[in-house]
Every structure is written in structure tokens, then in C-alpha cells.
Amino acid sequence: MAILFQSHSGREKEKGPSTLVERGGPERGGPERGGLERAGPPAGTDIAVDEQADFGYFVPPLDAPENYLPTSPATIDELDALGNHMIDAVANPENPATDSTLPPVLTYWGQFLDHELTARTDRESEVTSVKDPHPPAVSSTVESKLRNARSPRFDLDSVYGGSPIGTGITADMVTVISGLRHPTAVNKMRVGTAIDPGPLPDGLDEHRDLPRYVQVQASVRDAALRAAQASLPAPEFAKFSAGLPQRALIGDTRNDENLVIAQFHLSFLRFHNKAIDFLTSHKTGWIADFTSAQTLTRLHYQWLIVEGYLKGVCDPAVVDRVVQDRASHFFKFRAEFDARRQSSRLGNALPLEFSVAGYRFGHSMVRAFYDYNKTFGRPGNGFLPNASLELLFQFTGGGGGFAANKKLPKNWVMDWTRFVGVAPHDATDGQPARVARKIDTALAPPLKTMVKEGNDEVAGSPLQELFKNLARRNLRRGYNLRLPTGQALHSLLKQNGAVQTGAITDVSTIFNSKPTLRDFLKNSNSKFFERTPLWFYILAEAEKAGGNSLGEVGSFLVASTFVGVLLADPDSALSRDFDPTLSPLRMGDNTPIDSLAKWMRFASVME
């Protein structure tokens, strides 16, 4: 649906006691949003209401050529060669050398968070091209023309859809957005029901699929078809119409592109609904209505972003430093961007160094195989001994694995105990460990032939091979968008007091155990050993530290952006100094919901 939407940044109406005090605003390092924000369409045929925003360089464009990769077609060839070096040749279900100590949920939690912040950043356009990356765009052109289709706030627009108000909003659009909520229990969110064949992975209920158009009333389906037909070319509309029954009725359909993120999204719908049940059955001072449940779901989620996600993938000391500093470097970046782009800015800028390089570290954490549940994993007497990444993409609305029923089979419901770090496993049985891969420069083999990418290109062509190869795409994108080298960014962050360590002047020294990669870096005509592509540099920095978290530069980029985004929202958990002890919601043993495992148990998606 090509829909124009207005801002949905209004404050929540607080229903509960005054322990949740609003403390946002400029004095907290989080200025109110303002400026020249403009409405923008959702990505593709998504539902979520949002507005366009900006991308800019965290470090203002540098004039010295040595701060960038050499501008030459030959550089592209060497970037492609580097990308091929990064992807493992063989996919083994169990390879302890690639395992981190991080639970695998962090990989897909990170993907969910990315979808909250950005959209349409990987498309071919006049500003950025993977197919034709040379010559790179001029920095001023990138900042003036590259737009984000999401306004970066951790507000769960993919779950709640935003507010369907503003010029251009039709009755069909309102109908589709309202379809996200339960048709009769109006304070709750709609969820889907898994179907046979089973079994379920546990003793919980079967209502653990995303809501899908096949299950909703005809008025919602018809409204979606009319809205899509009004904005899509005939061939695209025909494809949309044919796939509508199994399509997830969620704000951002990227959250149904693989089963792990789909089941993660489901936990938010269930958490909201369980919050309604809890407020109904307990005397808390909170009204058991939609707004209360939405407010509490957002606050718990935002608290977990810092205490669960950031302190899981980043150096916790860096996260604490950024929080204590109130993300001052992030707000300095936004102020400098606004000053130099006064005539073209939209507002709410995100750093390109974060979006195009720093936050792509999660790609290295993806496994080729997962110990998914008792049917597709241990103890080994189920249907398959593990679940391949390809199967996790197939059994979604767009993957073709739902057959005629257009719903998730019960035997594909996740066993979250295997993903959040609460269930131990036998590491000697030759099956996948219940951890993510290390954050390092080695990617799993399926990322060389991504199943949902490049399928519009001629089968087997060099162009299709390019679009399916994640490492080559990422490296070409960074070159095309003229990111500084890792050494240049690291040195300037040190100079500005943002990081404490010095730059890695020769990255090749990290790879003495990988002589082929080491020699390639050292002997490259582009001198990648000392002018290192930023994405690779951040992964190498993490690899040097052992691969169980980002290094200091990567940690700073991610933590600064996330904390800055939270502080820019005066209603966020960080701005309001919320922690789970201030929430009326409690576990069955009356303890606060202060971990992701407790989140999953409260939502009744994990025993």
C-alpha cells in the first residue's frame, strides 16, 4: 500500500500510578522531536504507519583520500574477493570453532530491532547501487537523497501499526490497521493458531502463529486488496493477491521472513494480551485496556533493549559509559547533521556508519543449522535432527511451506528454551550448539546463496550470484556510500573522546591463524590491511577480542545509536528511568519481568 502517513509520536496516556514519571526532554539529553519531518509510505505493502527520516555521516565527510577506500573499479574486484574470503565453504551442523557464548536469540532480536529503526536502506537507487557501485556517490548527495522509510523510534510500530490519521488516509487503510487488533476482545492483539501436524514443542497452547489474512474477516482482506490495487502495478498486485491468504497481518512483513523473527514478533502480541489478563485479574491501579497494555509492553521491551540486548552483544562497560554520558556524541552528530543539511533535512537522522557497517555485525552470528525444537532438533527422534536456515525461511508466509492451509504447523512452533540460554545441551552429539556463531569475519555458507535474494535475476548469472552473496553486497554498499575506513573512523572517535583505544593500524596481524586471508589483506592493491572497509574492520575488532561481543568501536556505534534513539523519545523507558520493579506486571512468583526468558514465560510462549 503506497500510503502517506503523519507522525504517530504522541505521548502515551498513562493509566497507572505516578511511579512512572516522565523525565524526558532536552535537559535529559533527549530533545523533543521537531523540524521538517514529512510523512512517508510504508515499505512495500506493509501496514505500519511511519514517516521518512534521514541518514548522515557520524563523522562529517573527510577530505583526505587516505581516510577512504581507493576510488577505482579495481577496488570493487578486491572487495568481491574479500567477500568470498569471508564465507565458510562447508556448512557443518556442529563446528565448535565457530560458536560464541551468546544465545542465538540475539541474532534475530537484533534483526527485529533493525526493522524498528530502518527500512528501504538496501534497495538499488540513484544514491546507492550494489550492481554499479563505482563511482561512489558524493557525500553531500548521499545525505540529501538517501532516506529512511522508518522514523527511528523503538515504538513497536511493526506490532501496533501506528495511528491511521492524516491527509491521504482512506477508510481501507484504517480497516487494515484496525485488523491488527482482536475483532471482539478489542483491547487485545490478534494472534494466529498453529495447525496439525504436531506435536507442539511443549505443554502450552496452540495459538502461536502470526495472524494471517486467511483467518480474518472478509472486510479486512478486501480492504487490503483495494488499497494494494490502488498503488501497485498489475503484475505486483497479482502476486500480492495470490499470496494474501498466508501473508502475515503485521505492521512490517519483514518480521515474517524467517521463523525465528516471526516467533519473536509473536511474543509481543502475546505479551500484550497477557498484560491485559494480568491487569484484569490483579488490583494494580492500572486500567485493563489497550493503552495500558501497549504502554507496559513498550516499556518492558525498551528496558530489555539496554539491559538484555545491548549488554549482550556490546561491551557492557561501553554501554554503561554511553548511558552515563547521555549519548552526547549521538546528539552532537544530529546537531551537526541538522546544521549542514538545513535546507534538505527531514529529521531523526541515523549514522550511516551504524546502518551500513556497524549494525551489520549480526550477519556473522547467523547459523546454518539450529536445534529448533524436539521435532527439528534434539533428542534426535523427531522429523529431522536439526533445522536448516533454508527451512526457517521456507516455513513462513512467503516461503511456500504452508501448502493449502496457509498456517504454521504445530511442529514448527519454536522451543524458546533452546534460543534464550536457559536449556543446556550435549555438545558432543554432532548437532548444532544452542548458541550464535561468533561475531567475527567468518559468515555461514547459506549467506553466499541467500534464498530470498536475487531471484529476479537470470538463474546462475553473475548478477544473481552477486545479489545472493551477503558479504559482497555489504562491502560494495559501504564503498558506494563512501564510508570512511575503519582506521579513519576509529582514530577520529578516539580524538573526540568517544572511544579510549587506538586504531588497529594493520588489520592483517589479527589473522595469523588464517594465512590466506592475512596474505590477501596484506598484498591487496587497495591496501585493505591499513585502509580497511568499515564493516570488515568492526568484525575484525570483535574477532580480535574473542568473538563474544563487539569491540570498542562496534560497541560504541551500536550503543550510542540505540541509547540516543531512546533518549530522544521522552516517553521511552530510558528517558523515564523505568525499570521492571516499577511495573505492575509480575511473574507467577511475584518477581519482576527483568529478563528475556521471563518475557517469554510471561507471554506464555515458553515453559
Side-chain angles (χ1 to χ4, degrees):
M1 294 175 285
I3 307 172
L4 295 180
F5 291 104
Q6 285 191 336
S7 168
H8 57 290
S9 59
R11 294 172 180 261
E12 304 285 0
K13 181 181 178 182
E14 188 172 310
K15 296 286 185 174
S18 59
T19 53
L20 297 182
V21 180
E22 295 180 356
R23 300 187 180 95
E27 73 281 0
R28 300 282 295 171
E32 296 283 357
R33 296 184 307 108
L36 303 175
E37 294 174 0
R38 301 172 189 172
T45 51
D46 285 340
I47 299 167
V49 179
D50 223 328
E51 61 220 20
Q52 288 182 324
D54 285 311
F55 289 107
Y57 294 98
F58 195 98
V59 178
L62 308 170
D63 294 328
E66 63 268 20
N67 290 322
Y68 298 91
L69 298 180
T71 304
S72 165
T75 300
I76 304 302
D77 294 336
E78 291 196 317
L79 287 172
D80 286 346
L82 178 58
N84 290 334
H85 277 290
M86 292 178 68
I87 299 183
D88 292 344
V90 179
N92 295 317
E94 179 67 7
N95 182 1
T98 68
D99 291 338
S100 73
T101 59
L102 302 171
V105 67
L106 290 174
T107 310
Y108 299 92
W109 190 356
Q111 185 182 20
F112 183 94
L113 294 168
D114 179 50
H115 295 171
E116 278 265 88
L117 295 181
T118 66
R120 293 183 173 177
T121 58
D122 285 336
R123 296 187 177 188
E124 297 287 289
S125 71
E126 64 174 310
V127 181
T128 176
S129 174
V130 169
K131 179 182 176 182
D132 298 306
H134 183 79
V138 177
S139 300
S140 59
T141 300
V142 174
E143 287 194 330
S144 64
K145 292 189 176 182
L146 184 64
R147 301 303 194 196
N148 184 1
R150 283 275 181 270
S151 186
R153 288 186 298 277
F154 293 117
D155 56 0
L156 295 178
D157 51 358
S158 64
V159 173
Y160 295 112
S163 301
I165 57 175
T167 303
I169 300 300
T170 68
D172 286 335
M173 300 171 192
V174 174
T175 298
V176 175
I177 294 171
S178 66
L180 295 170
R181 291 168 67 165
H182 194 282
T184 56
V186 294
N187 288 317
K188 291 189 173 185
M189 300 301 293
R190 191 193 295 269
V191 298
T193 301
I195 59 173
D196 287 328
L200 288 167
D202 47 41
L204 301 174
D205 65 71
E206 70 273 22
H207 303 299
R208 278 185 281 170
D209 188 15
L210 293 175
R212 302 190 182 279
Y213 280 94
V214 70
Q215 77 186 61
V216 305
Q217 58 268 46
S219 60
V220 175
R221 294 195 299 272
D222 292 344
L225 288 170
R226 286 193 297 268
Q229 189 172 28
S231 61
L232 294 177
E236 291 185 31
F237 173 71
K239 183 178 180 180
F240 175 88
S241 180
L244 186 66
Q246 66 197 41
R247 185 182 180 88
L249 181 55
I250 56 177
D252 189 331
T253 55
R254 293 177 297 174
N255 287 354
D256 193 32
E257 72 176 20
N258 66 68
L259 263 179
V260 186
I261 193 173
Q263 292 280 283
F264 191 77
H265 186 112
L266 173 69
S267 77
F268 287 82
L269 305 176
R270 298 265 305 202
F271 190 98
H272 175 105
N273 292 349
K274 293 298 181 180
I276 292 290
D277 294 340
F278 187 95
L279 296 178
T280 299
S281 60
H282 294 74
K283 294 182 179 180
T284 65
W286 287 66
I287 299 172
D289 66 359
F290 177 85
T291 301
S292 293
Q294 181 187 52
T295 298
L296 291 169
T297 301
R298 283 176 173 165
L299 288 172
H300 277 275
Y301 155 66
Q302 291 165 348
W303 184 86
L304 282 169
I305 289 174
V306 177
E307 299 300 327
Y309 180 76
L310 284 183
K311 292 185 178 180
V313 300
C314 298
D315 181 340
V318 175
V319 177
D320 287 338
R321 193 165 72 231
V322 170
V323 171
Q324 292 164 9
D325 188 48
R326 312 307 286 174
S328 64
H329 294 281
F330 177 83
F331 288 109
K332 182 174 182 286
F333 146 73
R334 280 195 167 175
E336 291 176 345
F337 174 85
D338 289 347
R340 68 176 176 266
R341 308 303 319 171
Q342 290 186 39
S343 63
S344 63
R345 74 180 182 92
L346 300 178
N348 290 326
L350 286 182
L352 279 161
E353 294 89 341
F354 162 83
S355 296
V356 182
Y359 202 55
R360 299 189 181 223
F361 73 90
H363 297 157
S364 71
M365 300 169 67
V366 175
R367 298 188 68 94
F369 298 91
Y370 289 89
D371 181 21
Y372 186 79
N373 62 21
K374 64 185 180 183
T375 303
F376 301 97
R378 295 176 177 91
N381 55 3
F383 190 77
L384 289 173
N386 53 63
S388 69
L389 185 64
E390 182 176 353
L391 283 174
L392 295 182
F393 274 84
Q394 180 180 345
F395 277 89
T396 58
F402 286 174
N405 292 312
K406 312 301 182 187
K407 298 178 182 178
L408 184 70
K410 293 177 183 177
N411 59 15
W412 275 111
V413 170
M414 279 191 69
D415 179 359
W416 277 111
T417 66
R418 302 174 189 228
F419 280 77
V420 299
V422 302
H425 67 277
D426 180 0
T428 64
D429 63 0
Q431 290 305 315
R434 293 173 181 170
V435 293
R437 283 174 60 108
K438 290 179 180 178
I439 304 173
D440 61 15
T441 60
L443 276 62
L447 300 184
K448 188 174 184 178
T449 54
M450 294 186 292
V451 296
K452 289 194 173 182
E453 302 296 334
N455 296 323
D456 293 333
E457 307 298 333
V458 176
S461 67
L463 198 55
Q464 185 184 64
E465 179 184 344
L466 168 63
F467 278 106
K468 284 186 171 293
N469 188 309
L470 181 62
R472 291 174 60 188
R473 286 173 52 149
N474 282 352
L475 291 166
R476 282 180 170 228
R477 189 79 71 188
Y479 171 87
N480 190 226
L481 289 173
R482 203 167 180 265
L483 294 186
T485 66
Q487 287 85 357
L489 177 63
H490 197 153
S491 296
L492 283 166
L493 291 178
K494 173 71 180 299
Q495 178 182 331
N496 294 337
V499 301
Q500 299 172 351
T501 57
I504 307 169
T505 55
D506 185 349
V507 167
S508 71
T509 60
I510 295 173
F511 304 107
N512 286 328
S513 63
K514 301 177 179 179
T516 302
L517 176 58
R518 178 198 62 200
D519 294 345
F520 170 79
L521 293 167
K522 196 70 175 178
N523 298 323
S524 61
N525 291 323
S526 302
K527 297 186 178 181
F528 285 158
F529 69 96
E530 64 181 6
R531 296 169 70 175
T532 310
L534 182 56
W535 177 56
F536 185 88
Y537 183 93
I538 287 168
L539 296 178
E541 181 193 39
E543 186 167 339
K544 180 181 179 183
N548 292 311
S549 72
L550 288 164
E552 188 178 24
V553 171
S555 294
F556 171 80
L557 278 177
V558 174
S560 180
T561 301
F562 276 40
V563 171
V565 165
L566 286 166
L567 289 175
D569 176 2
D571 287 329
S572 77
L574 195 56
S575 292
R576 297 167 70 164
D577 284 344
F578 169 87
D579 71 69
T581 63
L582 299 177
S583 171
L585 304 179
R586 288 291 186 273
M587 301 297 294
D589 60 0
N590 202 38
T591 57
I593 305 167
D594 56 6
S595 69
L596 186 63
K598 286 186 176 182
W599 167 284
M600 295 296 182
R601 290 190 173 113
F602 183 85
S604 291
V605 296
M606 185 177 87
E607 285 185 321

PDB file of all heavy atoms in Angstrom, residues 344-357:
ATOM      1  N   SER A 344      17.545  20.578   3.449  1.00  0.00           N
ATOM      2  CA  SER A 344      17.056  19.302   2.909  1.00  0.00           C
ATOM      3  C   SER A 344      16.735  18.262   3.967  1.00  0.00           C
ATOM      4  O   SER A 344      16.270  17.184   3.640  1.00  0.00           O
ATOM      5  CB  SER A 344      18.097  18.706   1.944  1.00  0.00           C
ATOM      6  OG  SER A 344      19.305  18.420   2.628  1.00  0.00           O
ATOM      7  N   ARG A 345      16.964  18.563   5.214  1.00  0.00           N
ATOM      8  CA  ARG A 345      16.800  17.528   6.232  1.00  0.00           C
ATOM      9  C   ARG A 345      15.328  17.253   6.515  1.00  0.00           C
ATOM     10  O   ARG A 345      14.462  18.113   6.373  1.00  0.00           O
ATOM     11  CB  ARG A 345      17.509  17.936   7.523  1.00  0.00           C
ATOM     12  CG  ARG A 345      16.797  19.033   8.326  1.00  0.00           C
ATOM     13  CD  ARG A 345      17.583  19.364   9.588  1.00  0.00           C
ATOM     14  NE  ARG A 345      16.895  20.373  10.388  1.00  0.00           N
ATOM     15  CZ  ARG A 345      16.034  20.076  11.355  1.00  0.00           C
ATOM     16  NH1 ARG A 345      15.739  18.816  11.604  1.00  0.00           N
ATOM     17  NH2 ARG A 345      15.455  21.033  12.043  1.00  0.00           N
ATOM     18  N   LEU A 346      15.065  16.018   6.934  1.00  0.00           N
ATOM     19  CA  LEU A 346      13.746  15.625   7.410  1.00  0.00           C
ATOM     20  C   LEU A 346      13.735  15.513   8.927  1.00  0.00           C
ATOM     21  O   LEU A 346      12.733  15.780   9.571  1.00  0.00           O
ATOM     22  CB  LEU A 346      13.340  14.274   6.803  1.00  0.00           C
ATOM     23  CG  LEU A 346      13.251  14.230   5.277  1.00  0.00           C
ATOM     24  CD1 LEU A 346      12.899  12.818   4.814  1.00  0.00           C
ATOM     25  CD2 LEU A 346      12.227  15.227   4.767  1.00  0.00           C
ATOM     26  N   GLY A 347      14.846  15.090   9.500  1.00  0.00           N
ATOM     27  CA  GLY A 347      14.938  14.939  10.947  1.00  0.00           C
ATOM     28  C   GLY A 347      15.205  13.502  11.354  1.00  0.00           C
ATOM     29  O   GLY A 347      15.143  12.577  10.548  1.00  0.00           O
ATOM     30  N   ASN A 348      15.532  13.314  12.635  1.00  0.00           N
ATOM     31  CA  ASN A 348      15.736  11.980  13.212  1.00  0.00           C
ATOM     32  C   ASN A 348      16.806  11.188  12.460  1.00  0.00           C
ATOM     33  O   ASN A 348      16.630  10.012  12.150  1.00  0.00           O
ATOM     34  CB  ASN A 348      14.430  11.181  13.223  1.00  0.00           C
ATOM     35  CG  ASN A 348      13.443  11.727  14.222  1.00  0.00           C
ATOM     36  OD1 ASN A 348      13.822  12.212  15.281  1.00  0.00           O
ATOM     37  ND2 ASN A 348      12.165  11.668  13.888  1.00  0.00           N
ATOM     38  N   ALA A 349      17.933  11.820  12.167  1.00  0.00           N
ATOM     39  CA  ALA A 349      18.972  11.157  11.388  1.00  0.00           C
ATOM     40  C   ALA A 349      19.610  10.011  12.160  1.00  0.00           C
ATOM     41  O   ALA A 349      19.763  10.072  13.382  1.00  0.00           O
ATOM     42  CB  ALA A 349      20.045  12.170  10.997  1.00  0.00           C
ATOM     43  N   LEU A 350      20.001   8.972  11.424  1.00  0.00           N
ATOM     44  CA  LEU A 350      20.805   7.873  11.939  1.00  0.00           C
ATOM     45  C   LEU A 350      22.172   7.910  11.270  1.00  0.00           C
ATOM     46  O   LEU A 350      22.284   8.278  10.103  1.00  0.00           O
ATOM     47  CB  LEU A 350      20.149   6.517  11.656  1.00  0.00           C
ATOM     48  CG  LEU A 350      18.928   6.118  12.477  1.00  0.00           C
ATOM     49  CD1 LEU A 350      18.477   4.719  12.075  1.00  0.00           C
ATOM     50  CD2 LEU A 350      19.217   6.162  13.971  1.00  0.00           C
ATOM     51  N   PRO A 351      23.224   7.494  11.979  1.00  0.00           N
ATOM     52  CA  PRO A 351      24.559   7.487  11.366  1.00  0.00           C
ATOM     53  C   PRO A 351      24.673   6.415  10.281  1.00  0.00           C
ATOM     54  O   PRO A 351      24.300   5.257  10.490  1.00  0.00           O
ATOM     55  CB  PRO A 351      25.490   7.172  12.541  1.00  0.00           C
ATOM     56  CG  PRO A 351      24.688   7.426  13.774  1.00  0.00           C
ATOM     57  CD  PRO A 351      23.268   7.144  13.401  1.00  0.00           C
ATOM     58  N   LEU A 352      25.201   6.791   9.141  1.00  0.00           N
ATOM     59  CA  LEU A 352      25.460   5.819   8.079  1.00  0.00           C
ATOM     60  C   LEU A 352      26.477   4.777   8.520  1.00  0.00           C
ATOM     61  O   LEU A 352      26.380   3.601   8.148  1.00  0.00           O
ATOM     62  CB  LEU A 352      25.958   6.544   6.830  1.00  0.00           C
ATOM     63  CG  LEU A 352      24.881   7.172   5.953  1.00  0.00           C
ATOM     64  CD1 LEU A 352      25.482   8.219   5.037  1.00  0.00           C
ATOM     65  CD2 LEU A 352      24.154   6.109   5.155  1.00  0.00           C
ATOM     66  N   GLU A 353      27.463   5.192   9.310  1.00  0.00           N
ATOM     67  CA  GLU A 353      28.454   4.244   9.791  1.00  0.00           C
ATOM     68  C   GLU A 353      27.804   3.145  10.632  1.00  0.00           C
ATOM     69  O   GLU A 353      28.286   2.006  10.653  1.00  0.00           O
ATOM     70  CB  GLU A 353      29.531   4.961  10.621  1.00  0.00           C
ATOM     71  CG  GLU A 353      30.382   5.931   9.814  1.00  0.00           C
ATOM     72  CD  GLU A 353      29.796   7.340   9.755  1.00  0.00           C
ATOM     73  OE1 GLU A 353      28.575   7.509  10.020  1.00  0.00           O
ATOM     74  OE2 GLU A 353      30.552   8.276   9.433  1.00  0.00           O
ATOM     75  N   PHE A 354      26.731   3.482  11.333  1.00  0.00           N
ATOM     76  CA  PHE A 354      25.961   2.496  12.082  1.00  0.00           C
ATOM     77  C   PHE A 354      25.138   1.622  11.146  1.00  0.00           C
ATOM     78  O   PHE A 354      25.216   0.391  11.178  1.00  0.00           O
ATOM     79  CB  PHE A 354      25.045   3.205  13.082  1.00  0.00           C
ATOM     80  CG  PHE A 354      23.917   2.358  13.600  1.00  0.00           C
ATOM     81  CD1 PHE A 354      24.125   1.475  14.651  1.00  0.00           C
ATOM     82  CD2 PHE A 354      22.644   2.443  13.044  1.00  0.00           C
ATOM     83  CE1 PHE A 354      23.085   0.681  15.134  1.00  0.00           C
ATOM     84  CE2 PHE A 354      21.602   1.666  13.514  1.00  0.00           C
ATOM     85  CZ  PHE A 354      21.823   0.771  14.559  1.00  0.00           C
ATOM     86  N   SER A 355      24.349   2.237  10.277  1.00  0.00           N
ATOM     87  CA  SER A 355      23.377   1.490   9.470  1.00  0.00           C
ATOM     88  C   SER A 355      24.027   0.627   8.401  1.00  0.00           C
ATOM     89  O   SER A 355      23.556  -0.470   8.117  1.00  0.00           O
ATOM     90  CB  SER A 355      22.388   2.466   8.813  1.00  0.00           C
ATOM     91  OG  SER A 355      21.621   3.140   9.782  1.00  0.00           O
ATOM     92  N   VAL A 356      25.098   1.110   7.787  1.00  0.00           N
ATOM     93  CA  VAL A 356      25.690   0.427   6.639  1.00  0.00           C
ATOM     94  C   VAL A 356      26.831  -0.501   7.056  1.00  0.00           C
ATOM     95  O   VAL A 356      27.203  -1.390   6.307  1.00  0.00           O
ATOM     96  CB  VAL A 356      26.162   1.456   5.592  1.00  0.00           C
ATOM     97  CG1 VAL A 356      26.734   0.788   4.351  1.00  0.00           C
ATOM     98  CG2 VAL A 356      25.000   2.378   5.194  1.00  0.00           C
ATOM     99  N   ALA A 357      27.367  -0.303   8.256  1.00  0.00           N
ATOM    100  CA  ALA A 357      28.508  -1.124   8.685  1.00  0.00           C
ATOM    101  C   ALA A 357      28.337  -1.656  10.107  1.00  0.00           C
ATOM    102  O   ALA A 357      28.268  -2.855  10.328  1.00  0.00           O
ATOM    103  CB  ALA A 357      29.802  -0.320   8.577  1.00  0.00           C
TER     104      ALA A 357
END
